[in-house]
Amino acid sequence: MSGIDRTADMTSNTAPSPNVASASSEDVGTEAWLAFDKVSGVGTWKVTSGTTGWLKYYFGSGNAWASNEYRITAKAGELDRLPKDFTFQGSNNDSTWTTLDTRTGITFSASETKTFTFTNITGYTYYKIDVTAINAGVVLEIPELGIYAPSSGGFFAYL
Ligand SMILES: [Ca+2]
């Protein structure tokens, strides 16, 4: 079953509503939403400093997707800034998080999209990638993150 990127084409951290992008830190011009703007070559999320951090996406109240896949897309350069060791987590209250996938030693080639799949049938309104190491650079950066759910049967509206 092929998945679909369920994130919106974000134009700010809070648009289009009700989607919200946020991060552990973000520089001016490299805010969280730029990892969800569907453009990998220019817009990118970057922390203010350091090699660790998290990037979070909220689908809005009641909009719980049962994601079983996410994809990270690299730019043409600065590949050493991308996540090497990280977890992918889901939540429905932005407080209690469930680790859905754990990766170590990941590397990227220029403009590559890497797909990470895992087993999950629970719907979550919040997802985040929590990065604990990058490859060699001094600052963490994610050009594009897609949060995928199955093309059918993946949506759970908790009312
Ligand atoms: Ca982007």
Side-chain angles (χ1 to χ4, degrees), residues 112-134:
E112 178 187 17
T113 296
K114 270 206 155 66
T115 300
F116 304 96
T117 59
F118 53 93
T119 300
N120 173 52
I121 57 170
T122 301
Y124 295 103
T125 52
Y126 294 88
Y127 286 92
K128 73 176 174 183
I129 183 170
D130 190 3
V131 180
T132 54
I134 63 175

Side-chain angles (χ1 to χ4, degrees), residues 3-135:
I4 296 173
D5 185 353
R6 297 300 185 181
T7 63
D9 292 14
M10 298 299 281
T11 56
S12 79
N13 277 350
T14 55
S17 178
N19 304 279
V20 179
S22 61
S24 52
S25 71
E26 52 187 13
D27 255 343
V28 175
T30 58
E31 291 88 359
W33 67 273
L34 289 160
F36 304 103
D37 66 348
K38 307 295 192 288
V39 181
S40 61
V42 181
T44 187
W45 165 63
K46 185 167 69 67
V47 299
T48 52
S49 66
T51 58
T52 64
W54 52 259
L55 174 67
K56 183 165 65 185
Y57 193 89
Y58 178 48
F59 286 101
S61 178
N63 299 330
W65 291 103
S67 172
N68 59 5
E69 175 183 337
Y70 58 103
R71 298 181 187 179
I72 299 171
T73 300
K75 295 193 299 187
E78 299 173 323
L79 302 173
D80 55 0
R81 295 181 170 185
L82 270 69
K84 182 177 83 169
D85 301 341
F86 50 90
T87 59
F88 190 71
Q89 305 176 27
S91 174
N92 278 310
N93 60 10
D94 200 21
S95 172
T96 303
W97 291 88
T98 300
T99 298
L100 301 168
D101 189 52
T102 301
R103 302 283 170 169
T104 58
I106 301 299
T107 59
F108 291 84
S109 54
S111 304
E112 178 187 17
T113 296
K114 270 206 155 66
T115 300
F116 304 96
T117 59
F118 53 93
T119 300
N120 173 52
I121 57 170
T122 301
Y124 295 103
T125 52
Y126 294 88
Y127 286 92
K128 73 176 174 183
I129 183 170
D130 190 3
V131 180
T132 54
I134 63 175
N135 273 287

